[in-house]
Amino acid sequence: MRKEIKLAGFGGQGIILMGVFLAHAAGYFEGKEVAQTQSYGPEARGGACRAEVVISDEQIDYIKTLNPDIFVAMSQPAFDKYVFGINPETTEVFVDQDLVAKVPEEIKHVHRIPATKLAEEMCGNKMAANTVMLGALVKNTNIVSADTIKATLSKQLPAKLQELNFKALDYGLNYCE
Amino acid sequence: MRKEIKLAGFGGQGIILMGVFLAHAAGYFEGKEVAQTQSYGPEARGGACRAEVVISDEQIDYIKTLNPDIFVAMSQPAFDKYVFGINPETTEVFVDQDLVAKVPEEIKHVHRIPATKLAEEMCGNKMAANTVMLGALVKNTNIVSADTIKATLSKQLPAKLQELNFKALDYGLNYCE
Amino acid sequence: MHPLGEKYIRKGTLPYLWCPGCGNGIVLHATLSALDELNIMDRIALVGGIGCSGWIPTYINADTMHVLHGRTIPFATGLKMSDRDRKVVVFSGDGDCLGIGGNHFIHGARRNIDITVVMIHNQIYGMTGGQVAPTTPYNGKTKTSPYGNNEPPFDACELARVAGASFVARWTTAHPRQLSKTIQEAISHEGFSFIEVLTQCPTQAGRVLYGTANAAKLLDMLKESTISITAAKNKSAEELQGKLLVGKLYHDECKPEFTSCYYRRNNAISSL
Amino acid sequence: MHPLGEKYIRKGTLPYLWCPGCGNGIVLHATLSALDELNIMDRIALVGGIGCSGWIPTYINADTMHVLHGRTIPFATGLKMSDRDRKVVVFSGDGDCLGIGGNHFIHGARRNIDITVVMIHNQIYGMTGGQVAPTTPYNGKTKTSPYGNNEPPFDACELARVAGASFVARWTTAHPRQLSKTIQEAISHEGFSFIEVLTQCPTQAGRVLYGTANAAKLLDMLKESTISITAAKNKSAEELQGKLLVGKLYHDECKPEFTSCYYRRNNAISSL
Amino acid sequence: MEQVEHNIKIMQGNEAIVEAAIAAGCRFFAGYPITPASEIAEAMAQRMPQVNGVFLQMEDEIASICATIGASFGGMKACTASSGPGISLKQEGVGYAAVVEAPIVIINVMRGGPSTGMPTAPGQQDIYQAKYGSHGDYEIIALMPSSCQEAFDLSYKAFALAEKYRVPVYILSDEIVGHTRERVKIPTGLKPVERKEPPLKENYKPYEAGPDGLLNGMPAFNKGYKILIDGQLHDEEGNRAAHLPEVCAGLTERICKKITDHANQLVDIEDSFTDDADILVVSFGSPSRPALSAVKEARKKGIKAGCVKIRTIWPFPDNVIADLALKPHTIIVPELNIGRMVNEVKRVVAGKCEVVSLPKLGGLLHTPSEILAEIERRSKVCTR
Amino acid sequence: MEQVEHNIKIMQGNEAIVEAAIAAGCRFFAGYPITPASEIAEAMAQRMPQVNGVFLQMEDEIASICATIGASFGGMKACTASSGPGISLKQEGVGYAAVVEAPIVIINVMRGGPSTGMPTAPGQQDIYQAKYGSHGDYEIIALMPSSCQEAFDLSYKAFALAEKYRVPVYILSDEIVGHTRERVKIPTGLKPVERKEPPLKENYKPYEAGPDGLLNGMPAFNKGYKILIDGQLHDEEGNRAAHLPEVCAGLTERICKKITDHANQLVDIEDSFTDDADILVVSFGSPSRPALSAVKEARKKGIKAGCVKIRTIWPFPDNVIADLALKPHTIIVPELNIGRMVNEVKRVVAGKCEVVSLPKLGGLLHTPSEILAEIERRSKVCTR
Amino acid sequence: MVIIDNNYCKGCFLCMHYCPKKIIDKSTNINGKGYAVPYIANPEECSNCKTCELICPELAITVEEGDN
Amino acid sequence: MVIIDNNYCKGCFLCMHYCPKKIIDKSTNINGKGYAVPYIANPEECSNCKTCELICPELAITVEEGDN
Ligand SMILES: Cc1ncc(C[n+]2csc(CCOP(=O)(O)OP(=O)(O)O)c2C)c(N)n1
Ligand SMILES: Cc1ncc(C[n+]2csc(CCOP(=O)(O)OP(=O)(O)O)c2C)c(N)n1
Ligand code: SF4
Ligand code: SF4
Ligand code: SF4
Ligand code: SF4
Ligand code: SF4
Ligand code: SF4
Ligand SMILES: [Mg+2]
Ligand SMILES: [Mg+2]
């Protein structure tokens, strides 16, 4: 089974890191094939940026996303720029509810998560918004398990950032829309 | 009619200049086709060096000498290095008699010219040996006329060198073996 | 937008691709004022290197070449020599100018050709993502000096002077007024003029070298680490310890300029 | 042949391709004595640039690279870093070192990497037939400056010092003893050492710049145009007018050397 | 795939190259930052000191390749990395390495050109440059990975080939491979590539070749060989021979033929569904993955499509491709350039079947459906 | 030959190039000494000031080509000259010139390579480098003289083509042509090549091309155009467009096709005795003269041999050569390299006749008898 | 009068930091590109010194002569 | 003792010019390469100073310790 995930947002929101974490959880801890790519270079500065992850049980021939099964947008410009390719009927769409106001009504599965707000208010650091979102994503899609994403965070993050991120992940995992 | 001339000697003897003068006389003043080439670069330093001139009434397809009609050698090492290709029966060979001692007996037409000695003793400057030789060459082969070679010298040489070289040329033109 | 921007910025290139708080915009503004004051937009040629800083002239609506990494000065040399009345201003990063472009830099200075080089010194390779530069402080940790930089940095102003530049100045982006005035003076000077501008790069140098992306903090650091030559005159050696001199460091108005000497000689020859 | 030649000259390369009276042979001799005295033929790597002078090391029976025009110092850097106990000596013409190779020169100096650079300064591009060099005197007439050189020459020693070299010296081929001693000292020094050797090139510089191919006359001119720093101490400014200083111009024994610092740090890291 | 013990890592192609280099025994890297190759330098900067190796960021790309060659003769396995503009600058050094027969590895993480071009987009426009970029006659070997795993495997192999053939070996990666993170299996206990020391005889001749044109090992400096390495054409002893036409002709011919004569040994292709294929997609590097995808789709639709991925692109696998061209009616060549390698395919196929170029410019990878569409179009045009 | 008034001069090929450049209106030269191209710089140093032009000896070859491009946009017709090693260094600049469409002329007086190679010997080893030396997809024009007269004529033409096509034009001369002194007829009253100034409109778009892919003239700096020249891929206005795949693809394609689409207009060949020829010698540059000599000899011996000299080598005259290949049974391709251009001939001949490579390495020119021997051998093998 | 062009502001707050009168402050406004923009909290105290104008890397600030 | 190896001498006469004792002179000998070579005119006056040895670009001169 091939799954395509596209993550988009604002430079500095940790979008690419979300992709890297997903790839690690699936590829390293769950033994799946993964391919993770991202937008790159100065053209990505300030404006919208994106990361893509393909997860599959088989060899991945095409590494880019064409019709993402999951689309995450953490800003309105990023949503607008990268929403192409999703299937309004089937794609699971996650948005930061305070940063993405306009979501076309045609899109069926929209998850509105106050990721930045939760990060800021509950964890004291809005930089952790991506981890909150990651939690919500994992909870709602089971694209990887909560356990492997936790294992990934402990392996990949420097010690001093772990507490904050575990807290943020939990807020995401436990958030009810 | 295609004529090939090979001139060889010691770096600094003005061998290439002889070639250039012949080319000018034939090409510029006599309206013939000419091609003049030379050995080149640091490998030519100090050791033997050569110039080649091809003179023809028709278009020159091959610019190098293969079987020179005329071969001039101003030093023994140069003679030895560049004598290849001459026809012992027909090639007119000119040597500075004081600098080239060993000339194979098989060679029929050998002209022994004391070019350096004449230049030094009669013109007071052994640097003019090449012009003496040029005179002898012109006289004995008529490859170009004495007039056009004179015209070349007056066109190509800086004023202060003209007297010396006209004198040297005359010694060559008038030298009887 | 600021009226200078309205007047001189190339339509369709905005927004600037620079990160928030980047010093390149400050240099751009200072340049626009200088060019405006001089009123020479019609006879100026701008040349930008490759790097964030090399973009500065590409936003300006003038005749501009955005060239190869490190090669600003040779391109500028061709532009200057092909029209002696043209003024040429180069914008080059510290990597562009002193790294790959170091040889052209010293040769341009040696010739004392009438080109103004504004070198944007952010202590790092910004555009490529924070690698060590020939200006990175000794022991500084960057993406390619993760254990600390083993190489002492150049003093670009000293290098320019010894190589032959006839106008040498240094400022920081915390001195926008002085910078603009100096750019103006450098362009007016006939000869090779070099201006080193220390600038904040919050994204790369800031994060990688100083652990902060706060532009204001970085700019404060720049300000504090420098002292103007006039102010320095009355200071003791102790007080000057660790301070970099800013201001006009060297100016020789009499040194023969390459282009004009060249054409003067040409005139003598071709009128023979 | 001289016993040093018998001992160290590579069989089958003779005769030297240099013109009669060329100074390169004098530098070769001085080098052989220095290497012999140091007794390090087994741990020396020699690097020659492209140019008449670049041939110097190719005649020596040691591990030698004859490299690309202008690139001696990068090759030498690879050789040095791949064996920290190896000593590396570079022979580079003034065109090779300061023309096309100028950037590597200042960066090698900046790093203060343990390489000895012997720059053969004959004021010209010798091998290619007498074109203008970055060391040709102002107004000098050469094949490519037939109306006089428009560009002032570099002071290579000053450039080396400002860029970061820790040992800087200058001699001429009229000082073969001192030259040999200085080469020895430079090789022993740990750090970037630079020796500029002014030398006669009768064929090109001699003929083209000075109108004479007389080696002795040219060597006399070199001698007369220089004064040793020790002798200069007691001279008035007037007496020194037009004289170039020769001798050891700069020596900083304490400056950290690149290779040893690098490996010291490596040891700390790799033993973690 | 062989059953070997391995560790799994998730890494970018650029990182995989670094790990493979270190596994192959590379202990010297000199480079200069450039997108999209900079991560190679960054990872080298991190990793080399950990294995007591050398990382140098030089003043430019010219210095980088020269230092790399210096280090190679200095006794270390050595490599350099860059992208288009930097690779162009290295060309004089490539020719030097070829003629002095320096075993070095040159990594080109290809981006869109020409000139500054598209710095952050992939391309395959530099394949001919790899072969013809420097002046003079010479040959190199070039390998093209299409995944992080191949980036690892081929990089290891590159060092082995460089040592064996005493030749610069290119890894022609691209921005996609360089920046994609994938699972990479790293075999445990991978041995460093051997550098053979030649026998130290009296009058050792560094350029005396065997009948196969190959030199006998690689002497390092300061090991007693006392060698002269010269970029001028030289004789067996290494002495300049520019004045000896036969020696020069011999050396030039040998450094070319030692590679082209071994083309068959150097072949490295991966073919899928080729046995009965009517239509073949011949590709290399990144497009070979959507190509395989498209071929699988085509098979599902009943089209007898097949797929060949060329991993050793230089020397070109003339014979293998000529053989594979006997059965299909059409060969499609998708590439991220204006259609270059298709000419090599045409040359060797020599009219035996239709050869169709499927170029893609602008910095985007072919999608599987683009390639599938071409397969479908061609299978309709010509069905037999 | 046309009957025009002319002056005769005896000069070296290198000097002829300089005189032609000046006649064509070139007023800027930047270079760096190198054998066997130095005489071009030396003659330029002498001549440029006499016509109030600029001669610069730069610090290296990179600076030389960059200054040349700068001067071209500065408003002067401009050129640079070098040989193998220097040409390799210029490659990044060549790509820049191609993508910003700078009309410049690059003279390569070819010597033996690779690397420092054979500095004083001729070669034709750099023909593919001229086309593929820089990274990325681009095209250039390349002309090859075989005599001093052609050196003059083709150099003049090079400037005209550079202006018309807004492209770097190579003159691929060699040590033989460069250093041979011959008679050169210089037409009197030769007019400088015209540089067309584009119409100065509101919102002038410097990269807006006509339907033939060509730009409308050449704007100079400080003439009111206010243009942005950028080596990054750009739109019609000159603005960076690396993020716009279609714009990038379009530009890349256009700068290639504006040359290849005009291949037929650019053909410049000279054929002798081809009408009834069974054997054809196809050559370019220096070997084409002994080739003609050999063909004449062969005719004397009753062999129907013919001769084709290719003067515009890039774009390759595909169609003309394909047509000429219809009659003969064999084509012989003598070249001063390991046998490179023979592959182009093979490609276009596509099996229509036998194609035989006659390479010559080591720095010597083919003699007429060497070529004649091959003609005789082949005429015996295959007589119909 | 100090005019901040919100369209171009990238929220770096150099203006705020360098205003000698400390009269520029963060606002709650987010501009189209997602940046928090500053505003002039106490326009009447402005000395027209133009520091903010010169230091703004985005040329987003214009200080006009005349009343604040 | 001063030994000049005629095989290597290129007749530049730097030795002659720089001998402090002025005891080296031009000879009438021409060596195999065609160069006029010098000779030691007054060996007994030699001071063994080695100047000639060090200045000879061809390494053609050896000054041995001991009697001249
Ligand atoms: C020949 C070449 N090498 C490398 C690069 C990649 N590159 C782009 S910008 C840059 C350096 C940027 O640093 P700097 O010049 O200091 O400018 P900044 O971005 O810091 O302003 C490099 C190495 C290139 N474009 N061309
Ligand atoms: C890249 C390159 N450019 C140019 C040359 C030609 N070249 C050979 S030697 C030389 C310069 C010689 O001058 P210098 O370095 O001063 O050495 P010298 O001969 O004077 O000792 C040049 C330009 C070359 N070999 N390679
Ligand atoms: S990386 Fe640094 S220099 Fe480049 S735009 Fe960002 S802040 Fe400015
Ligand atoms: S040209 Fe000059 S430097 Fe070269 S060998 Fe001759 S004298 Fe020496
Ligand atoms: S300085 Fe300019 S960009 Fe920065 S916050 Fe102020 S107005 Fe905005
Ligand atoms: S002009 Fe001066 S005082 Fe007024 S807001 Fe700007 S910085 Fe503050
Ligand atoms: S110095 Fe040497 S080469 Fe010169 S004349 Fe004396 S012995 Fe001969
Ligand atoms: S050793 Fe001294 S004194 Fe004796 S010959 Fe030589 S230079 Fe003259
Ligand atoms: Mg920088
Ligand atoms: Mg020199």
Side-chain angles (χ1 to χ4, degrees), chain F residues 164-291:
Chain F
K164 173 162 183 196
Y165 291 95
R166 291 276 308 264
V167 75
V169 178
Y170 270 100
I171 297 167
L172 297 176
S173 181
D174 64 39
E175 189 274 339
I176 298 171
V177 173
H179 285 158
T180 302
R181 281 187 186 79
E182 296 188 282
R183 281 158 58 93
V184 178
K185 295 183 188 178
I186 302 181
T188 49
L190 207 51
K191 288 224 173 58
V193 163
E194 194 203 0
R195 170 166 290 189
K196 206 172 119 192
E197 224 178 275
L200 186 54
K201 308 172 292 203
E202 276 279 297
N203 296 321
Y204 169 70
K205 292 185 182 172
Y207 289 102
E208 191 175 32
D212 55 357
L214 301 180
L215 301 178
N216 183 8
M218 169 80 179
F221 269 34
N222 304 120
K223 299 284 181 201
Y225 295 97
K226 300 258 167 81
I227 44 175
L228 171 59
I229 302 302
D230 201 326
Q232 285 197 20
L233 300 193
H234 42 260
D235 61 20
E236 293 187 337
E237 277 159 34
N239 292 332
R240 278 185 296 280
H243 52 298
L244 304 172
E246 267 135 73
V247 175
C248 290
L251 176 61
T252 312
E253 218 172 292
R254 184 174 65 73
I255 61 168
C256 290
K257 293 210 167 157
K258 74 174 182 183
I259 304 303
T260 51
D261 282 355
H262 290 90
N264 286 344
Q265 284 95 309
L266 285 162
V267 167
D268 185 356
I269 65 156
E270 189 176 286
D271 53 339
S272 322
F273 314 105
T274 53
D275 286 353
D276 62 343
D278 291 333
I279 293 198
L280 220 54
V281 184
V282 172
S283 57
F284 37 86
S286 287
S288 61
R289 294 175 71 174

Side-chain angles (χ1 to χ4, degrees), chain G residues 4 8-16 38 55-58 60-61:
Chain G
I4 300 183
Y8 291 105
C9 172
K10 283 188 187 155
C12 69
F13 295 110
L14 284 175
C15 52
M16 179 176 99
I55 211 78
C56 171
E58 305 297 323
I61 305 183

Side-chain angles (χ1 to χ4, degrees), chain C residues 93-95 120 122-126:
Chain C
D94 41 4
I120 292 86
N122 59 1
Q123 307 196 319
I124 207 139
Y125 284 78

Side-chain angles (χ1 to χ4, degrees), chain D residues 124-166:
Chain D
I124 208 140
Y125 284 78
M127 173 167 282
T128 42
Q131 296 85 7
V132 72
T135 46
T136 302
Y138 194 70
N139 272 327
K141 289 187 185 176
T142 69
K143 293 263 185 71
T144 49
S145 62
Y147 308 108
N149 179 21
N150 219 354
E151 310 183 7
F154 276 136
D155 181 333
C157 289
E158 266 298 276
L159 207 54
R161 189 184 58 74
V162 165
S166 49

Side-chain angles (χ1 to χ4, degrees), chain D residues 52-53 69 94-96 122 124-128, chain E residues 92, chain F residues 33-34 61:
Chain D
C52 302
S53 44
H69 185 44
D94 41 3
D96 194 74
N122 59 0
I124 208 140
Y125 284 78
M127 173 167 282
T128 42
Chain E
E92 197 197 6
Chain F
I34 189 165
E61 290 88 349

